[in-house]
Amino acid sequence: MSKKQVDQNQIKDIAKLAHIPISDIESQQLAKDFAKTLAVVDQLKTADVSRIDSTHQVTAFKNVTREDKVDESLSFTQAEALANAPQQKDGFFLVPKVLTTEDN
Amino acid sequence: MTFNQLTIKEALDALTSGSLKIEKLYQDLDLSIQDKNKLYNIYLNFNTDAKKEAKLLENTQLKGLPIAVKDNFCSKNLPTTASSKILENFIPQYESTVTKRLQKAGGVIVGKTNLDAWAHGSSTETSDFGPTLNPRNPDHLPGGSSGGSAAAVAADLCLAAIASETAGSIRQPAAWCGTVGLKPSYGRVSRFGVIAMASSMDTPGVISKTVEDACLVLNSFAGPDSRDATCYQNPAPDFSKFLDQDIKGLKIGLIYHDLEGLEEVNEKLAQELAVLSQLGAKVEKVQALDPHHAIAVYTVVQRAEVSSNLARFDGVRYGKDRAFFGDEAKRRIMLGTFILSKGYAEQYYNLAQKVRTLYLNDFAQLFKKYDVLVSPSSPGFAKKLDASAGSPMFGELEDILLEASSISGLPGISVPYYRDPQSNLFLGANFVAAMWREDLAIKVADAFEKNTKWNTWRNR
């Protein structure tokens, strides 16, 4: 069976994609944990799935829709929407700065 | 005996006849909570108005009885943490469908119970607020992820508990704590307001003292919900109708009977199942698809869905930022991100979803011949504290007997079938039925419970 290895650099790339800050020590440990988990997952490759369709959901219900109508009971007031915000200003969420200019 | 030790059925009868006042039940409950909650680390937060609410609910279905709720169900104005630091100070502005309906039926939320953080695990040891101890033997784990809910029931710190299962999280802790755990079919119960983990498998359900109690509680919240498009549109039946039924002629298949390492639990189960034959059911061994691949399917699908669902925690709208994720959550989010990335999705994710089909096909074949399938819920008794440390696959391996039915969406009930006299720990039997056929699993589990000696509350 092929042993899938994910090295520390790959771990750091994945962490970036997943927006998870990790330390060097964590990336070492995560590489080891990945190996253990992938060793189990790689067993799937021994299954015969030729001519087998994928199952993405088990109920087989299709196109479940509702009327395109505003349901007030499903909406938050502005105060409710902001109730748990760590930072807010003038009735808006305060978000981290993502754009920079040469001045700052 | 104190009144918090009653079952739901006993308490409802006593309240109806007037021999019990709800205030008295809450007094006894409060004393037990003061006595045991810190010791076992079961409730993370309490509803301080519980007793006051209960007094107003005399004329309802559940008459104000105290119910524990796993802390991944959003409850308006009560903290809801999913046992994570990220949501430590989160106060939902809306109520989950399950808890809303429970309250409408006269159930009162006593408090919110501990779980593995984000429901990632089978031990409660990944909780950011420390593990729960097993009230049957506090050197041991309660199982998980709904370990707090199972422990609350086992310690009589509620009359029943709401829990959720993705693959084992109701039935495994129920088995380890010597209680009943009912996981309905996927889609039988609304997921609206449950903090999402793996959306194609997440299923709310009940942990209770008896099968009868599980039915009475499930009745309060099962059924279609326009807020969850994956819900079954047909109305849910009255599940208590399936209690005390004749099981004569039902065909029961004993699966996973020849798995290595399970000799002891399987031998005991086979002995106990003899009672079902005496009641007229036909019990025989049958070969099911080897469950080992289901571990891998579950791992891939769960990690993939976790990485997507937990992307919403950005620390902007609510909660703390992503640096606060614990080790287990980081591991799962990152593995899911990897599995879904270009080049690996075909190799892992799509392959897993195909193997998932093999399990659905296998169950479809088995249910042509059998009404109910049964196996142990767990490979053994509750593990000792610290058992999950250093093992990134602890939960997956502990839940090997439950994953195949979970990835297939099937309903199942775990009921106690043995108690070890030395350790005071229990084994649970998992009765599984075809999709939407909770009725069959309930019939058999109820008959089994009432004709064996292992249920603590029926045999006190």
Side-chain angles (χ1 to χ4, degrees):
Chain A
M1 203 175 302
S2 70
K3 271 254 170 69
K4 178 72 205 166
Q5 295 294 339
V6 177
D7 65 34
Q8 266 196 70
N9 286 333
Q10 270 178 292
I11 292 283
K12 284 176 186 166
D13 285 345
I14 296 164
K16 219 184 213 171
L17 280 174
H19 293 287
I20 303 231
I22 54 165
S23 64
D24 275 351
I25 297 167
E26 278 180 301
S27 68
Q28 275 174 30
Q29 185 57 46
L30 280 160
K32 285 183 201 157
D33 292 345
F34 262 53
K36 283 188 198 169
T37 303
L38 291 175
V40 174
V41 166
D42 274 332
Q43 291 173 14
L44 283 175
K45 290 172 184 162
T46 63
D48 179 8
V49 290
S50 46
R51 287 176 300 164
I52 297 287
D53 290 332
S54 300
T55 297
H56 292 283
Q57 50 105 329
V58 293
T59 56
F61 301 147
K62 280 182 188 153
N63 300 330
V64 179
T65 57
R66 64 169 174 82
E67 219 182 317
D68 187 14
K69 216 171 63 181
V70 174
D71 178 353
E72 291 290 342
S73 76
L74 279 175
S75 308
F76 278 159
T77 61
Q78 191 175 29
E80 284 169 338
L82 288 165
N84 282 288
Q87 287 187 290
Q88 50 175 295
K89 197 181 177 191
D90 305 331
F92 292 95
F93 296 108
L94 211 55
V95 303
K97 198 169 187 168
V98 289
L99 298 174
T100 53
T101 62
E102 278 176 21
D103 300 337
N104 57 21
Chain B
M1 200 179 109
T2 53
F3 289 112
N4 54 310
Q5 292 173 302
L6 295 175
T7 65
I8 296 262
K9 178 66 166 61
E10 290 167 341
L12 288 176
D13 288 349
L15 288 166
T16 304
S17 74
S19 65
L20 169 63
K21 288 268 169 281
I22 194 84
E23 293 88 342
K24 181 69 185 115
L25 195 159
Y26 274 83
Q27 273 170 23
D28 285 356
L29 182 72
D30 283 345
L31 289 174
S32 275
I33 286 174
Q34 282 167 30
D35 198 25
K36 297 178 193 163
N37 189 55
K38 280 225 170 75
L39 193 64
Y40 299 143
N41 193 31
I42 292 174
Y43 286 106
L44 299 175
N45 285 294
F46 288 99
N47 170 17
T48 49
D49 293 330
K51 197 196 256 179
K52 210 161 64 187
E53 289 170 17
K55 283 186 199 169
L56 305 171
L57 297 167
E58 194 181 339
N59 297 317
T60 58
Q61 200 183 326
L62 290 171
K63 297 190 184 299
L65 293 181
I67 309 293
V69 176
K70 187 178 182 181
D71 203 24
N72 60 347
F73 287 80
C74 286
S75 43
K76 196 171 180 177
N77 300 326
L78 281 181
T80 298
T81 69
S83 287
S84 73
K85 284 269 181 219
I86 286 191
L87 294 181
E88 196 170 11
N89 303 312
F90 175 60
I91 312 277
Q93 302 300 301
Y94 69 104
E95 194 75 40
S96 77
T97 294
V98 166
T99 48
K100 190 181 232 175
R101 288 180 181 174
L102 175 78
Q103 289 169 312
K104 204 171 163 214
V108 170
I109 301 176
V110 190
K112 308 293 288 292
T113 58
N114 195 24
L115 60 146
D116 285 284
W118 309 103
H120 297 170
S122 302
S123 66
T124 68
E125 289 191 301
T126 72
S127 167
D128 288 345
F129 308 119
T132 296
L133 309 185
N134 190 326
R136 303 291 193 175
N137 179 337
D139 293 333
H140 291 255
L141 294 167
S145 63
S146 312
S149 285
V153 173
D156 292 305
L157 301 193
C158 62
L159 266 65
I162 306 300
S164 66
E165 171 161 331
T166 306
S169 279
I170 289 175
R171 291 171 287 172
Q172 183 253 16
W176 282 16
C177 290
T179 64
V180 171
L182 167 55
K183 175 215 176 279
S185 308
Y186 175 85
R188 179 66 89 184
V189 178
S190 169
R191 293 177 293 110
F192 180 77
V194 186
I195 294 172
M197 198 252 258
S199 304
S200 77
M201 295 177 280
D202 291 347
T203 309
V206 188
I207 294 178
S208 59
K209 299 177 181 182
T210 63
V211 174
E212 181 171 44
D213 282 7
C215 294
L216 294 172
V217 176
L218 183 61
N219 275 349
S220 71
F221 59 73
D225 178 16
S226 59
R227 295 175 176 189
D228 176 358
T230 59
C231 263
Y232 191 29
Q233 297 299 312
N234 291 12
D238 171 2
F239 293 99
S240 61
K241 260 188 351 205
F242 311 124
L243 301 163
D244 297 309
Q245 298 294 303
D246 194 356
I247 61 159
K248 207 168 176 172
L250 285 186
K251 288 189 185 137
I252 299 165
L254 177 57
I255 55 173
Y256 307 148
H257 47 82
D258 56 358
L259 279 192
E260 232 174 277
L262 268 68
E263 292 79 7
E264 192 196 344
V265 290
N266 268 322
E267 193 186 323
K268 289 195 166 73
L269 179 60
Q271 281 167 21
E272 293 299 322
L273 290 177
V275 76
L276 297 178
S277 308
Q278 287 155 24
L279 293 167
K282 191 172 179 231
V283 185
E284 62 185 31
K285 287 183 179 174
V286 58
Q287 208 64 37
L289 197 60
D290 185 327
H292 282 90
H293 276 149
I295 301 175
V297 173
Y298 171 68
T299 302
V300 169
V301 176
Q302 195 264 2
R303 303 301 190 271
E305 295 186 17
V306 159
S307 75
S308 161
N309 272 325
L310 269 55
R312 78 191 59 175
F313 296 97
D314 55 11
V316 170
R317 292 155 303 151
Y318 47 82
K320 296 178 186 155
D321 70 61
R322 296 173 77 78
F324 286 87
F325 275 123
D327 290 344
E328 185 68 26
K330 282 184 191 171
R331 234 185 339 252
R332 294 193 184 208
I333 293 168
M334 286 178 55
L335 200 88
T337 306
F338 168 71
I339 278 168
L340 290 176
S341 61
K342 193 166 159 44
Y344 294 106
E346 182 61 37
Q347 196 179 334
Y348 291 113
Y349 185 70
N350 295 350
L351 174 60
Q353 300 287 42
K354 284 182 181 173
V355 179
R356 191 178 190 177
T357 307
L358 296 180
Y359 283 97
L360 271 102
N361 292 348
D362 186 53
F363 280 121
Q365 285 303 317
L366 288 166
F367 285 122
K368 276 185 191 162
K369 199 166 169 212
Y370 297 95
D371 298 295
V372 169
L373 300 172
V374 61
S375 78
S377 301
S378 168
F381 295 100
K383 291 262 162 67
K384 283 220 160 144
L385 295 179
D386 287 329
S388 73
S391 170
M393 291 291 284
F394 175 81
E396 285 68 25
L397 298 170
E398 285 304 318
D399 289 327
I400 177 170
L401 304 175
L402 302 171
E403 277 144 354
S405 61
S406 294
I407 61 175
S408 307
L410 305 178
I413 312 178
S414 179
V415 293
Y417 75 86
Y418 182 73
R419 184 183 76 91
D420 179 63
Q422 263 86 50
S423 66
N424 193 39
L425 293 171
F426 287 74
L427 297 174
N430 175 36
F431 294 97
V432 173
M435 203 69 181
W436 317 122
R437 295 309 303 271
E438 288 89 350
D439 58 319
L440 292 168
I442 288 167
K443 271 183 199 173
V444 176
D446 178 58
F448 180 83
E449 175 186 280
K450 285 174 176 158
N451 290 283
T452 51
K453 60 180 180 184
W454 305 110
N455 186 286
T456 307
W457 293 274
R458 288 199 182 280
N459 298 283
R460 60 190 164 216

